[in-house]
Amino acid sequence: MKHTIPDESTYRQPPSEIYDLIMAKPVPMASVDDCGEWMLLLERDTFPTVAELAEPELRIAGIRINPNNFAQSRMITLAGMRLKDLNTLKEFEIKGLPENMRATNIQWNPSQNRIGFVNLKTDRADLYSIDIASHTATKINKIPLSIVLGGAYCWVDDTRLIYKAIIPDAVLQGMPLAPKGPVIQESLGIKTAARTYQDLIKSVYDEALFEHYTKSQLILHDDTRELKIGVPSIYRHFSVSPDKQFLLLQTIDKPFSYTVPVNGFPHTVTVTDLEGNVINTIAVNPSSEGVPIGFDDAPDFPRGFAWRNDEPATVTYIKALDGGHGKSESEWRDALVAFRIDLSGKDAPEDVLFKTKMRFQGVIWGDSTTAVFYEESYATRKFQMNHYNPATGMTACVFSRSSDDAYSDIGNPLTQKNEFGRQTLIIINGKELIMSAGGASDAGDMPLIQAFDITNGETRVLWRCEAPYYEYLVKMTDPQSLTFITARESQKEITNYFVHTTVKDEPVIQALTTFTSPYSLLEGVSRQKITYKRDDGINLSGDLYLPTGYNPERDGTLPVLIWAYPIEYKSAADASQVRGSRNTFTRPYYGSPVLWVTQGYAVLDQAEMPVVGENGNEPNDNFIPQLYLNAHAAIQKLAAMGVGDSTRVAVGGHSYGAFMCVNLLAHTNLFKAGIARSGAYNRTLTPFGFQGEERTYWEAPDVYNNMSPFSHADKIKAPLLLIHGDSDNNSGTFPLQSERLFSAIKGLGGTVRYVSLPFESHGYSAKENILHMLWETDQWLEKYVKNSPKEKI
């Protein structure tokens, strides 16, 4: 039975400074057309209420469904839109937008003269089209949309759209008062290991619910009419061929699985014409039950179906060449297979385009002689970029690095639309790709644009962000003249958009927006990226925030809040790299520890917590000792700077960060208190792997037990605040994890408080819940950290 505190069962609010920061209206987001002529400004929705979260919700097949409007529940939506002419910088209101708009799924049409979006109402979902010339929005559909499985619609061309509609006459029988019999599952000696999932199908009635709310009718809207395409099915995915003649469809088949979510259900892949007539059946794939679950494993059936962007109607898919077992001996892991589609219905011969030594990770098509594809191994952390010549079939490695090595990352190739309106590589001088890179370095992230020569691997910088700004590419509008749009911010300036051009060989920069910060309460807060070493020599870093007007010589040391999230590495050198930028603007959000800088704390956010495994060892083999090294180094750094009181330090984190937090309390005496949100604390409840751990419980029982703070609950002496959404949907972080840990610490005489937030998932949404969570955190820190005795625990 849960332990409750009746006299504290009403919602509370945090201090006014925290309340005002959380409730401040954020600046708009922006979407820019390909030519850089129009910007769509998007206003984010406010926090929903607990009453809204309490509306009907079905939790089936790994998804959460709003049965009233055939959409996923808890969708992030937009509350407002307006257009901005980037030539004149004039803004326009959009006529015809729905009242109380909750918009999602923004898509520009190929010519960029219309913008589509889906609007959610309480009882239906509708598709709208914005005509940019008239600044007017028009509702497209008559039959409500079905968007439970996502992928609600797509543009065929500038005027035609295809979308999924509900089946109006579909009838759902009520849930029987008593079942016809028990639910039975069986395994006949075949390995069918699966990760730990939530919200799975559990009964025959769940199956009926899933089918009712996911089955839909494809509709082609030709600017005047709604035309049915084929017959109703459960459409997992659909896409239009580059030549606009065919549809690539993935439809879900029965039997539905009780052990994996919807993306693992049996499915059929077909190509049809735009009337729904089947041209080719490409694959009939089974359930993913029994598919190997290692990070380098893959299904032993065709996967990753897509249209080839540089040809009219060619389907590609990935075929495992090693049976899907990433640790098996095999010269080749994957092949990319292609075949052309035509209206004759004849199966074209399959063509193996190329093979990969590691798992295939994607391809970007270019022209007749140039494409690039990627492959990667999680076990070795090797990441490789290859050049593929479609004309000759030649492949060659052009770049490789450790996937953990951010410093050597050359970035991602930029693309532009080809004659089919599909994104393909920008190629200049016949051999150079234009790359957008994060620019990670010892100085922090300094994004850049550079040319990459695929014949020799040489790079040349075309543009680079410069301090004191953090500035990154948003849209390349003209690669030939190097005209592009960026988003720029600094510690003192919130994000605004700029266009970069060249006039008479001189760079010219023009501001496109002039947003101002809504967070005046953070003006004067000191922020710096600090670096320090842990005892084994690995370099660490974190973002340190100090209160406005704070002077260490005058005010002395401050109570400290450290917030972190562990990450696994296979190299000490990679773990030592500086991550993030020292020049970004501080945006407080509901989960941010930075809020407590307004309450007189020194806050170390994003404190590096690397867990390194070298020389054949797995990172988790020494998880606990490395957590100690990381935390101890951070505390000693703040003490050496004269800003942090090493005897008054709290640690906190969310999800895997919460797991880290409780382990630090169980195995060290470094902290006065801990705040753990939505974590998992007993790894035996996730026995087939978790986070970066591939070994099962039966392969490494000592690792699972030693890493489980539940197993060491008797050692947790520092006060622990546990917070969890009672409807957590994340893999492995069941609310039971917090409930059982609370009971263990309580039974062992420890100091612990468990706050269960009604109707919340892994991330929190409702205004009342968020404000109360912040109040709980503030009270905990005030009582057990700021005002605690200064002697060590």
Coordinates of all heavy atoms in Angstrom, one line a residue, residues 8 10-16 18 561 596 599 601 650 672-675 677 719-721 723 751 753 755 771-788:
E8 N -0.9 17.1 2.8 CA -0.1 17.7 1.8 C -0.6 17.3 0.4 O 0.2 17.3 -0.6 CB 1.4 17.4 2.0 CG 2.0 18.0 3.2 CD 3.5 17.7 3.3 OE1 4.1 17.1 2.3 OE2 4.1 18.1 4.3
T10 N -2.7 18.5 -1.7 CA -3.1 19.5 -2.7 C -1.9 20.1 -3.4 O -0.7 20.0 -2.9 CB -3.8 20.7 -2.0 OG1 -3.0 21.3 -1.0 CG2 -5.1 20.2 -1.3
Y11 N -2.1 20.6 -4.6 CA -1.0 21.2 -5.4 C -0.5 22.4 -4.8 O -1.2 23.3 -4.2 CB -1.5 21.5 -6.8 CG -1.7 20.2 -7.7 CD1 -2.9 19.8 -8.1 CD2 -0.6 19.5 -8.1 CE1 -3.1 18.7 -8.9 CE2 -0.7 18.4 -8.9 CZ -1.9 18.0 -9.3 OH -2.0 16.9 -10.1
R12 N 0.9 22.5 -4.9 CA 1.6 23.7 -4.4 C 2.3 24.4 -5.5 O 2.5 23.8 -6.6 CB 2.5 23.3 -3.2 CG 1.9 22.4 -2.2 CD 0.9 23.2 -1.3 NE 1.6 24.1 -0.5 CZ 2.0 23.8 0.8 NH1 1.9 22.6 1.2 NH2 2.6 24.7 1.5
Q13 N 2.8 25.6 -5.2 CA 3.6 26.3 -6.3 C 5.0 26.7 -5.7 O 5.1 27.0 -4.5 CB 2.8 27.6 -6.7 CG 1.5 27.3 -7.4 CD 0.9 28.6 -8.0 OE1 1.4 29.7 -7.7 NE2 -0.2 28.4 -8.7
P14 N 6.0 26.7 -6.6 CA 7.3 27.0 -6.2 C 7.5 28.5 -5.9 O 6.5 29.3 -6.2 CB 8.2 26.6 -7.4 CG 7.2 26.9 -8.6 CD 5.9 26.5 -8.1
P15 N 8.7 29.0 -5.5 CA 8.9 30.4 -5.3 C 8.6 31.2 -6.5 O 8.7 30.7 -7.7 CB 10.4 30.5 -4.9 CG 10.7 29.1 -4.3 CD 9.8 28.2 -5.1
S16 N 8.2 32.5 -6.3 CA 7.8 33.3 -7.4 C 8.8 33.4 -8.6 O 8.4 33.5 -9.8 CB 7.4 34.7 -6.9 OG 8.6 35.3 -6.3
I18 N 10.9 31.1 -9.6 CA 10.8 29.9 -10.4 C 9.5 29.9 -11.2 O 9.5 29.5 -12.4 CB 11.0 28.7 -9.5 CG1 12.4 28.7 -9.0 CG2 10.7 27.4 -10.3 CD1 12.7 27.5 -8.0
L561 N 24.0 22.5 -6.3 CA 23.1 21.5 -7.0 C 23.8 21.0 -8.2 O 24.1 21.8 -9.1 CB 21.7 22.0 -7.3 CG 20.8 21.1 -8.2 CD1 20.6 19.8 -7.5 CD2 19.5 21.9 -8.5
W596 N 17.3 27.0 -9.8 CA 17.7 27.2 -8.4 C 18.9 28.2 -8.3 O 19.2 28.5 -7.2 CB 17.9 25.9 -7.8 CG 16.6 25.3 -7.3 CD1 16.0 25.6 -6.2 CD2 15.7 24.5 -8.1 NE1 14.7 25.0 -6.2 CE2 14.6 24.3 -7.4 CE3 15.8 24.0 -9.4 CZ2 13.5 23.6 -7.8 CZ3 14.8 23.2 -9.9 CH2 13.6 23.0 -9.1
Q599 N 17.6 30.9 -6.4 CA 17.4 30.7 -4.9 C 18.7 30.6 -4.1 O 18.7 30.2 -3.0 CB 16.6 29.4 -4.8 CG 15.3 29.4 -5.5 CD 14.3 30.5 -5.2 OE1 14.0 30.7 -4.0 NE2 14.0 31.3 -6.2
Y601 N 21.7 29.1 -5.1 CA 22.6 28.0 -5.2 C 23.6 28.2 -6.3 O 23.3 28.9 -7.3 CB 21.7 26.7 -5.6 CG 20.8 26.3 -4.5 CD1 19.6 26.9 -4.3 CD2 21.1 25.3 -3.6 CE1 18.7 26.5 -3.3 CE2 20.3 24.8 -2.6 CZ 19.1 25.5 -2.4 OH 18.2 25.1 -1.4
A650 N 23.9 18.8 -3.3 CA 22.8 17.9 -3.8 C 23.1 17.4 -5.2 O 23.7 18.1 -6.0 CB 21.5 18.5 -3.7
K672 N 24.5 15.7 0.4 CA 23.6 15.9 1.5 C 22.2 15.4 1.1 O 21.4 15.0 2.0 CB 23.4 17.4 1.8 CG 24.5 18.0 2.7 CD 24.4 17.5 4.1 CE 25.3 18.2 5.1 NZ 25.2 17.7 6.4
A673 N 21.9 15.4 -0.2 CA 20.5 15.0 -0.6 C 20.5 14.7 -2.1 O 21.5 15.0 -2.8 CB 19.5 16.1 -0.3
G674 N 19.5 14.0 -2.5 CA 19.3 13.7 -3.9 C 17.9 13.9 -4.4 O 17.0 13.8 -3.6
I675 N 17.8 14.2 -5.7 CA 16.5 14.3 -6.4 C 16.5 13.4 -7.6 O 17.3 13.6 -8.5 CB 16.2 15.8 -6.8 CG1 16.2 16.7 -5.6 CG2 14.9 15.9 -7.5 CD1 17.5 17.5 -5.5
R677 N 14.2 11.7 -10.6 CA 13.0 11.8 -11.3 C 12.9 10.7 -12.4 O 13.7 10.6 -13.2 CB 12.8 13.2 -12.0 CG 12.9 14.4 -11.1 CD 12.8 15.7 -11.9 NE 13.0 16.9 -11.0 CZ 13.4 18.1 -11.5 NH1 13.6 18.2 -12.8 NH2 13.5 19.1 -10.7
P719 N 19.0 12.1 2.5 CA 17.6 12.2 2.1 C 17.4 12.1 0.6 O 18.1 12.8 -0.1 CB 17.2 13.5 2.7 CG 18.2 13.8 3.8 CD 19.5 13.2 3.3
L720 N 16.5 11.4 0.2 CA 16.2 11.2 -1.3 C 14.8 11.5 -1.6 O 13.8 11.0 -1.0 CB 16.5 9.7 -1.6 CG 16.1 9.3 -3.1 CD1 16.9 10.1 -4.1 CD2 16.3 7.8 -3.3
L721 N 14.6 12.4 -2.6 CA 13.3 12.8 -3.1 C 13.1 12.0 -4.4 O 13.8 12.2 -5.4 CB 13.2 14.3 -3.4 CG 11.9 14.8 -4.0 CD1 10.7 14.5 -3.2 CD2 12.1 16.3 -4.3
I723 N 10.5 11.3 -7.5 CA 9.4 11.8 -8.3 C 9.2 11.0 -9.5 O 10.2 10.6 -10.2 CB 9.7 13.3 -8.7 CG1 9.9 14.2 -7.4 CG2 8.5 13.8 -9.5 CD1 10.3 15.6 -7.8
T751 N 15.6 8.3 5.0 CA 14.8 9.5 4.8 C 14.5 9.6 3.3 O 15.4 9.7 2.5 CB 15.6 10.8 5.3 OG1 15.9 10.6 6.7 CG2 14.7 12.0 5.0
R753 N 11.1 10.6 0.3 CA 9.8 11.1 0.0 C 9.5 10.7 -1.4 O 10.3 10.8 -2.3 CB 9.7 12.6 0.2 CG 8.4 13.3 0.0 CD 8.5 14.8 0.2 NE 7.3 15.5 -0.1 CZ 6.4 15.9 0.8 NH1 6.5 15.5 2.0 NH2 5.4 16.6 0.4
V755 N 6.9 11.2 -4.6 CA 5.8 12.1 -5.2 C 5.4 11.4 -6.5 O 6.2 11.3 -7.4 CB 6.3 13.5 -5.4 CG1 5.2 14.4 -6.0 CG2 6.8 14.1 -4.1
L771 N 4.4 22.6 -11.6 CA 4.7 23.5 -10.5 C 4.8 22.9 -9.2 O 5.7 23.3 -8.4 CB 3.5 24.6 -10.5 CG 3.4 25.5 -11.7 CD1 2.2 26.3 -11.7 CD2 4.7 26.3 -11.9
H772 N 4.0 21.8 -9.0 CA 4.2 21.1 -7.7 C 5.5 20.4 -7.6 O 6.2 20.3 -6.5 CB 3.0 20.1 -7.5 CG 3.1 19.4 -6.2 ND1 2.5 20.0 -5.1 CD2 3.6 18.3 -5.7 CE1 2.7 19.2 -4.0 NE2 3.4 18.2 -4.4
M773 N 5.9 19.8 -8.7 CA 7.2 19.1 -8.7 C 8.4 20.1 -8.4 O 9.3 19.8 -7.6 CB 7.5 18.5 -10.1 CG 8.8 17.8 -10.3 SD 10.1 18.9 -10.9 CE 9.5 19.2 -12.6
L774 N 8.3 21.3 -8.9 CA 9.3 22.3 -8.6 C 9.2 22.7 -7.1 O 10.2 23.0 -6.5 CB 9.1 23.5 -9.5 CG 9.3 23.2 -11.0 CD1 8.9 24.4 -11.9 CD2 10.7 22.8 -11.3
W775 N 8.0 22.8 -6.6 CA 7.9 23.1 -5.2 C 8.5 22.0 -4.3 O 9.2 22.3 -3.4 CB 6.4 23.3 -4.8 CG 6.1 23.5 -3.3 CD1 6.2 24.7 -2.7 CD2 5.8 22.5 -2.4 NE1 6.0 24.5 -1.3 CE2 5.7 23.2 -1.1 CE3 5.5 21.2 -2.4 CZ2 5.4 22.5 0.1 CZ3 5.2 20.5 -1.2 CH2 5.1 21.2 0.0
E776 N 8.2 20.8 -4.6 CA 8.8 19.7 -3.9 C 10.3 19.8 -3.9 O 11.0 19.6 -2.9 CB 8.3 18.3 -4.5 CG 6.9 18.0 -4.3 CD 6.5 17.4 -2.9 OE1 7.5 17.3 -2.1 OE2 5.4 17.1 -2.7
T777 N 10.9 20.0 -5.1 CA 12.3 20.1 -5.2 C 12.9 21.2 -4.4 O 13.9 21.0 -3.7 CB 12.7 20.2 -6.7 OG1 12.1 19.1 -7.5 CG2 14.2 20.2 -6.9
D778 N 12.2 22.4 -4.5 CA 12.7 23.5 -3.7 C 12.7 23.3 -2.2 O 13.6 23.6 -1.5 CB 11.9 24.7 -4.1 CG 12.4 26.0 -3.4 OD1 13.5 26.5 -3.8 OD2 11.8 26.5 -2.5
Q779 N 11.6 22.7 -1.7 CA 11.5 22.4 -0.3 C 12.6 21.4 0.1 O 13.1 21.6 1.2 CB 10.1 21.9 0.0 CG 9.0 22.8 -0.2 CD 9.0 24.0 0.8 OE1 9.0 23.8 2.0 NE2 9.1 25.2 0.3
W780 N 12.8 20.4 -0.7 CA 13.8 19.4 -0.3 C 15.2 20.0 -0.2 O 16.0 19.8 0.7 CB 13.8 18.3 -1.4 CG 14.3 17.0 -0.9 CD1 15.5 16.4 -1.3 CD2 13.7 16.0 -0.1 NE1 15.7 15.2 -0.7 CE2 14.5 14.9 0.1 CE3 12.5 16.0 0.6 CZ2 14.2 13.8 0.8 CZ3 12.1 14.9 1.4 CH2 13.0 13.8 1.5
L781 N 15.5 20.9 -1.2 CA 16.9 21.5 -1.2 C 17.0 22.5 0.0 O 18.1 22.5 0.6 CB 17.1 22.2 -2.5 CG 17.2 21.3 -3.8 CD1 17.2 22.2 -5.0 CD2 18.5 20.5 -3.7
E782 N 15.9 23.2 0.3 CA 16.0 24.2 1.4 C 16.2 23.4 2.7 O 17.0 23.9 3.5 CB 14.7 25.0 1.4 CG 14.6 26.0 0.3 CD 15.5 27.2 0.4 OE1 15.5 27.8 1.5 OE2 16.3 27.4 -0.5
K783 N 15.5 22.4 2.9 CA 15.5 21.7 4.2 C 16.8 20.9 4.4 O 17.4 20.9 5.5 CB 14.3 20.7 4.3 CG 14.2 20.0 5.6 CD 13.0 19.2 5.7 CE 12.8 18.5 7.0 NZ 11.6 17.7 7.1
Y784 N 17.2 20.1 3.3 CA 18.3 19.2 3.5 C 19.7 19.6 3.0 O 20.7 18.9 3.2 CB 17.9 17.8 2.9 CG 16.8 17.2 3.6 CD1 15.5 17.0 3.0 CD2 17.0 16.7 4.9 CE1 14.5 16.4 3.7 CE2 15.9 16.1 5.6 CZ 14.7 16.0 5.0 OH 13.6 15.3 5.7
V785 N 19.7 20.7 2.2 CA 21.0 21.2 1.7 C 21.3 22.6 2.1 O 22.3 22.8 2.9 CB 21.0 21.1 0.1 CG1 22.3 21.6 -0.5 CG2 20.6 19.7 -0.4
K786 N 20.5 23.6 1.7 CA 20.9 25.0 2.1 C 20.9 25.2 3.6 O 21.8 25.8 4.1 CB 19.9 25.9 1.4 CG 20.2 27.4 1.8 CD 19.1 28.4 1.2 CE 19.2 28.5 -0.2 NZ 18.3 29.6 -0.7
N787 N 19.9 24.7 4.3 CA 19.8 24.9 5.7 C 20.3 23.7 6.6 O 19.9 23.6 7.8 CB 18.4 25.3 6.1 CG 18.0 26.6 5.4 OD1 18.7 27.6 5.4 ND2 16.8 26.5 4.7
S788 N 21.1 22.8 6.0 CA 21.5 21.7 6.7 C 22.8 22.1 7.5 O 23.5 23.0 7.1 CB 21.8 20.5 5.8 OG 22.9 20.8 5.0

